[in-house]
């Protein structure tokens, strides 16, 4: 049996009731040479059992593994990566789904460009049924690798990546911060990166999901994530590293901290290390790529 082109890694935690659309999108993919690895993170409901039952009647090349203890989505993905056989890795959250040509379009771009990482755009789908298309990587068209390091949208689900590259740097165990930490590192280490201007991933936006919850300690994983990429990206990308810090800490970190009602004094204390190391961050050449609302945020928040 030939090796799969793609291994799709899907962490699951109490998520069976949300998985129908994702499973359907896998069953109907126009490219069929792939495997799916479900990693159950010690669900307290019947998710693991239901996956086993589904496997009995599915034509998918699927594997189900269960963590020994609950370890979160980042480490769960790593457990899936360790048993993957595909040349490239793809990722899906358990409540999301692919467009039916997701893998086919990604593979065509790989064949055309020999890229080790390919990015795409996505739809944001709401519980009300509304679906908004977002061209989050549009600015990457015809860009060099430096721009990818600085600007690529940091979601594991909007890319495919060569497995050999990921095995050099597995996903760090940083809740809320692992994607933003590791994706720029992979880009910096890749020989070729590409982008297809197609919205082919569907991100289901749930009000009670991990990614939308408010946490007073949210700044900590963002800081850990920035330190990770800072440690593993060469100094030749200093402008790109600095801009990632601007986006992760000065924008997202501050925004989440304000949502969590942290005081201005505490926020400034958390930012002091970054601002001391990068005192001229506001002159970063990538600042001009920010939308006006984000530039206004920096002015109004008096960072």
């Amino acid at each position: 049996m030939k090796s799969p082109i793609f291994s799709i890694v899907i962490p699951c935690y109490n998520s069976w009731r949300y998985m129908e659309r994702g499973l359907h999108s896998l069953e109907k993919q126009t490219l069929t040479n792939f495997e799916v690895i479900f990693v159950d993170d010690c669900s307290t409901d019947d998710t693991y059992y239901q996956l086993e039952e589904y496997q009995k009647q599915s034509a998918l090349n699927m594997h189900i593994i269960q963590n020994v203890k609950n370890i979160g989505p980042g480490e769960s993905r790593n457990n899936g990566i360790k048993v993957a056989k595909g040349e490239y890795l793809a990722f899906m959250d358990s409540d999301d789904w692919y467009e039916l040509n997701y893998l086919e379009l990604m593979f065509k771009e790989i064949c055309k460009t020999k890229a080790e990482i390919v990015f795409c755009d996505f739809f944001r789908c709401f519980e009300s049924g509304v679906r908004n298309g977002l061209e989050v990587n549009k600015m990457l068209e015809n860009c060099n690798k430096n721009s990818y390091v600085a600007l690529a949208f940091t979601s594991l689900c909007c890319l495919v990546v060569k497995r050999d590259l990921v095995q050099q740097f597995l996903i760090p165990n940083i809740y809320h911060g692992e994607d933003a930490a590791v994706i720029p590192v992979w880009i910096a280490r890749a020989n070729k990166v590409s982008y297809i201007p197609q919205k082919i991933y569907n991100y289901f936006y749930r009000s009670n999901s991990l990614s939308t919850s408010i946490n007073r300690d949210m700044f900590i994983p963002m800081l850990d994530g920035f330190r990770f990429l800072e440690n593993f990206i060469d100094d030749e990308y200093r402008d790109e590293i600095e801009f990632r810090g601007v986006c992760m800490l000065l924008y997202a970190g501050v925004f989440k901290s304000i949502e969590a009602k942290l005081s201005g004094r505490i926020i400034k204390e958390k930012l002091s290390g970054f601002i001391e190391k990068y005192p001229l961050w506001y002159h970063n050449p990538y600042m001009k790529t920010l939308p006006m609302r984000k530039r206004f945020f920096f002015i109004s928040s008096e960072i």
Side-chain angles (χ1 to χ4, degrees):
M1 185 177 179
K2 64 179 180 179
S3 298
I5 298 168
F6 293 104
S7 295
I8 304 169
V9 180
I10 305 176
C12 308
Y13 180 74
N14 291 354
S15 50
W16 175 253
R17 64 189 181 276
Y18 301 112
M19 294 178 69
E20 181 178 356
R21 286 174 294 199
L23 290 166
H24 174 79
S25 75
L26 295 171
E27 297 275 6
K28 299 298 183 180
Q29 283 296 301
T30 53
L31 183 150
T32 58
N33 186 12
F34 66 91
E35 65 176 358
V36 190
I37 302 166
F38 296 94
V39 186
D40 181 70
D41 196 18
C42 296
S43 294
T44 58
D45 65 2
D46 63 347
T47 294
Y48 182 76
Y49 167 78
Q50 292 291 355
L51 284 170
E52 287 190 311
E53 291 299 302
Y54 186 85
Q55 185 178 31
K56 293 174 184 177
Q57 53 84 36
S58 174
L60 289 173
N61 177 12
M62 62 183 283
H63 314 277
I64 309 165
I65 60 178
Q66 189 172 45
N67 296 333
V68 175
K69 63 178 182 179
N70 181 269
I71 54 176
E75 283 297 306
S76 294
R77 290 189 180 101
N78 284 338
N79 285 344
I81 291 165
K82 289 171 185 175
V83 301
K85 299 291 192 297
E87 184 180 2
Y88 282 78
L89 296 169
F91 302 93
M92 183 195 290
D93 287 344
S94 57
D95 52 356
D96 296 346
W97 63 97
Y98 291 151
E99 292 295 294
L100 302 187
N101 59 353
Y102 180 92
L103 295 178
E104 180 185 359
L105 292 179
M106 291 295 210
F107 184 58
K108 283 182 177 177
E109 186 67 14
I110 290 167
C111 293
K112 183 173 79 173
T113 64
K114 308 302 180 189
E116 293 172 279
I117 309 174
V118 179
F119 290 89
C120 68
D121 292 319
F122 69 93
F123 291 100
R124 178 174 287 168
C125 308
F126 296 89
E127 292 167 306
S128 64
V130 172
R131 194 168 81 139
N132 297 330
L134 298 176
E135 295 180 335
V136 292
N137 285 309
K138 184 72 173 174
M139 66 184 72
L140 298 178
E141 284 191 292
N142 304 314
C143 281
N144 60 23
K145 194 171 79 168
N146 291 63
S147 295
Y148 275 90
V149 173
L151 302 174
F153 185 68
T154 50
S155 168
L156 290 169
C157 298
C158 289
L159 62 81
V160 297
V161 55
K162 201 157 190 178
R163 179 163 58 93
D164 292 348
L165 182 61
V166 174
Q167 288 173 330
Q168 298 174 37
F169 290 95
L170 290 174
I171 300 165
N173 189 21
I174 304 172
Y175 262 54
H176 293 283
E178 63 266 29
D179 294 23
V182 78
I183 289 172
V185 175
W186 291 344
I187 297 169
R189 301 281 172 159
N191 293 313
K192 175 69 176 176
V193 187
S194 190
Y195 158 68
I196 55 173
Q198 301 274 355
K199 295 179 283 291
I200 50 176
Y201 187 84
N202 292 278
Y203 168 55
F204 185 49
Y205 194 83
R206 282 192 289 127
S207 57
N208 64 340
S209 71
L210 181 66
S211 60
T212 58
S213 59
I214 296 175
N215 187 328
R216 288 181 63 84
D217 296 324
M218 186 73 77
F219 199 92
I220 296 172
M222 292 180 178
L223 186 57
D224 289 344
F226 178 69
R227 287 171 177 160
F228 178 89
L229 69 84
E230 196 178 33
N231 287 337
F232 291 110
I233 298 179
D234 294 339
D235 286 343
E236 65 181 285
Y237 295 104
R238 181 177 172 83
D239 283 344
E240 291 73 26
I241 294 169
E242 179 182 69
F243 186 67
R244 284 292 179 184
V246 170
C247 295
M248 294 169 70
L249 304 179
L250 301 191
Y251 179 72
V254 170
F255 187 82
K256 290 292 185 181
S257 296
I258 291 172
E259 277 191 325
K261 296 182 170 52
L262 291 182
S263 70
R265 178 184 60 81
I266 292 175
I267 294 172
K268 287 182 178 180
E269 285 176 1
K270 292 178 181 294
L271 294 174
S272 60
F274 176 83
I275 292 174
E276 183 176 324
K277 188 169 183 177
Y278 302 97
L280 300 178
W281 61 268
Y282 45 85
H283 290 310
N284 186 282
Y286 292 100
M287 291 294 287
K288 64 180 181 293
T289 68
L290 291 173
M292 189 56 66
R293 61 182 173 80
K294 289 189 178 182
R295 294 188 218 179
F296 180 76
F297 175 84
F298 289 126
I299 296 169
S300 61
S301 59
E302 298 182 347
I303 296 172

